[in-house]
Each structure stands twice: as structure tokens, then as C-alpha cells.
Amino acid sequence: MSTSVASFDSRSGNPLHVRFTLLLPRIETHARICFRHVPCRDQRDDSVAEVVAVSWNWFQRLAARGTDASR
């Protein structure tokens, strides 16, 4: 199994980053379940990484609108 995308340092001081880091394991798990049928491991990992990137983008957009995305 590949390493987690959550391996970056969450002590960056950015509260938005820290809140997203807390949600990241759940996002990754859901993405891995959704893409478990993809036979190529590299393509599967790329798909999971893309889900994480899109999730971060939407998390930032919702925070800018004042919405708590963790609920």
C-alpha cells in the first residue's frame, strides 16, 4: 500500500491547513474505496491524489464563504 498524502507537516500554523489535515484520512479512505477497481496501482494512486487536490480546493472555497466543510 502506498504512503499517505497526509505526510506533510501539520504544524504549519495555518488553521485552515490543520483542519483539512484532520479530514484527510477520511477523504483518502473514501477515495481508495471508490477507486479499488482500477487495476493499475499508479493510476489508482493518481486518482486518489486528484481527489485530495479537488477536496482541498473545495475546502478552501467553502472556508472563504464562511462555511465549515468539516460538518
Side-chain angles (χ1 to χ4, degrees):
M1 184 172 222
S2 65
T3 60
S4 174
V5 180
S7 61
F8 63 89
D9 188 7
S10 65
R11 296 171 291 172
S12 65
N14 183 347
L16 190 61
H17 222 196
V18 173
R19 287 191 354 240
F20 182 75
T21 303
L22 294 173
L23 295 174
L24 195 51
R26 188 171 181 184
I27 294 168
E28 274 190 316
T29 299
H30 188 74
R32 291 205 178 278
I33 290 169
C34 287
F35 294 115
R36 68 182 179 264
H37 68 280
V38 177
C40 176
R41 183 178 184 175
D42 292 334
Q43 187 177 6
R44 188 171 53 242
D45 289 345
D46 285 347
S47 297
V48 171
E50 189 171 342
V51 166
V52 170
V54 170
S55 298
W56 170 242
N57 188 22
W58 277 103
F59 190 83
Q60 288 178 317
R61 291 173 114 184
L62 289 170
R65 293 172 62 189
T67 304
D68 183 14
S70 62
R71 295 199 293 156

